[in-house]
Amino acid sequence: MCAFDPAAPPRDADEGVSQSAAPAVLQASPPLNRLRVLRALRSAATAVRERAQWLVRPDRPFGRAFENLILALIVLSVASVLLEATPGLPAWARQAFYIEEIIVVAVFSFEYLLRLIAAEHKIRFIFSFQGLVDLVSIAPFYLAGVDARAVRALRLLRLLRVLKLQTHILENTVAERTRELADKNATLEQAQAQLKAELDVARALQIAILPASFPARPGCDGAARMIPATTMGGDFYDFIELPDGRVGLVMADVSGKGVPAAFFMAVARTNLREFAPHYVEPGACLAHTNDILFAQNPMDLFVTVFYCMFDATTGTLSYANGGHNPPYVRRVDGSVETLGGTGGLVLGVMPGIDYPNHTVQLQPGDRLVLYTDGVTEAFSLAEEAYGTERLIAEVKAHGDQSAAALVERICSSVTEFAGAAPQSDDITLTVLAWDAA
């Protein structure tokens, strides 16, 4: 039985736990210390290997200079073999060659040690062609105290080793650059595909804002088509219903092509369409539009505009021309007239320009043909322009057809003429056919 000693000091309940846990902590400390030491050694080994690679790899800092030094010593060592064979060589020269040999072997030994440190797999390096060649170039000196000349001549193999190493590095560099180029090409193709998709959407939106049909008027019909030369075009046409019952027809061509021209086209069309209902005369509408475009033109673009107002009840056509191609009127008898009043400055270049108003009377059966220079300046493979004569001939020959049929006929004629030649400019056509009700 255990006797209870009331005079003994009470034992703390945690004392036993602390005493029992202490050995465990002491036992765990050495493994943790060893782990820290191993990690430190690995970090140090990695740092030393990286420093060694700076000297022995030509693609690293100082590597090319160190390699040139080794090549120079190889040539010096091999040359000394030939010079030592010279008859009557003085003793001081032989001593100099011996000192030179010590220096060469010392540098080669340092290089061998660096390559061994820099190698990821030490054993594999030692038994590789490179490792064996490096070892043969220095081992005889340590074994015999001096290299035999025949053995030193084997250092020519180091040249082969250097060339082989450079070829390997070059192949790796080419492969790496090829991968980088492939990655950049893939990224570029992805960006181009995304850009193309966005431009396709923009082109669809641009075409969608142009009117698809002519305003309904008794005895009057109209049709139009716009074919951009690039993803987005700078040409535009428009049909505008005016408050007095007349119809406004617009044919315009923005300077340049592509996205900048498309944006300026949208600005020009929006302004012209907004101002048209507020002006009775087309010249005043063009003058106001010109002032606004001049103020909204950071890229110094311009637009040629032919704007006319047609009264379908009387056949009266009022128009103003802002530097655009003069339209044609195909009379019911088959003759073709060019509308006068070609004067007028292009819009967006200078504010405060006046645009004269002109009037022409259409007869039942007449056709009004509006176009941009993309039609007449379409080129064939022989670099011959379509020209106004071919356009007039098509209007004469097929002017008795409907507006849509005449537009289709002219576009087909231009396409057949151009053949496989690339389209050089936007092609836009509008035909107004009036047959009095």
Side-chain angles (χ1 to χ4, degrees), residues 259-345:
V259 175
F263 274 105
F264 196 69
M265 162 263 190
V267 173
R269 178 183 179 273
T270 300
N271 283 285
L272 186 57
R273 173 173 274 271
E274 180 182 354
F275 301 144
H278 303 288
Y279 292 92
V280 177
E281 295 181 340
C285 181
L286 287 187
H288 192 185
T289 303
N290 171 65
D291 293 340
I292 297 300
L293 291 180
F294 176 79
Q296 301 176 349
N297 190 8
M299 299 185 66
D300 295 329
L301 299 175
F302 64 85
V303 56
T304 66
V305 181
F306 179 88
Y307 174 50
C308 64
M309 299 174 174
F310 181 65
D311 189 341
T313 59
T314 64
T316 302
L317 183 75
S318 302
Y319 65 91
N321 195 335
H324 197 75
N325 308 81
Y328 297 117
V329 175
R330 198 265 191 190
R331 298 297 184 178
V332 67
D333 62 0
S335 61
V336 176
E337 300 176 4
T338 302
L339 290 186
T342 58
L345 189 67

Side-chain angles (χ1 to χ4, degrees), residues 80-163:
S80 67
V81 175
L82 302 177
L83 293 175
E84 284 185 27
T86 304
L89 193 67
W92 64 265
R94 295 184 182 277
Q95 186 68 22
F97 285 132
Y98 183 74
I99 295 174
E100 170 263 329
E101 182 63 16
I102 294 175
I103 295 173
V104 169
V105 172
V107 176
F108 285 178
S109 301
F110 179 65
E111 181 203 15
Y112 181 80
L113 180 61
L114 287 177
R115 293 193 182 280
L116 184 62
I117 294 173
E120 296 290 341
H121 305 282
K122 315 298 183 187
I123 302 300
R124 186 181 302 174
F125 167 75
I126 292 173
F127 292 99
S128 66
F129 172 79
Q130 174 183 335
L132 292 175
V133 169
D134 290 353
L135 188 60
V136 167
S137 66
I138 60 176
F141 184 88
Y142 292 107
L143 294 177
V146 65
D147 285 353
R149 284 183 292 173
V151 176
R152 273 186 283 163
L154 292 176
R155 291 176 183 169
L156 285 172
L157 292 175
R158 291 175 61 91
L159 293 174
L160 179 61
R161 189 265 292 166
V162 171
L163 294 176

Side-chain angles (χ1 to χ4, degrees), residues 182-197:
D183 292 341
K184 291 181 180 179
N185 285 340
T187 303
L188 180 61
E189 289 176 359
Q190 183 178 3
Q192 287 179 337
Q194 181 179 356
L195 179 61
K196 183 180 182 301

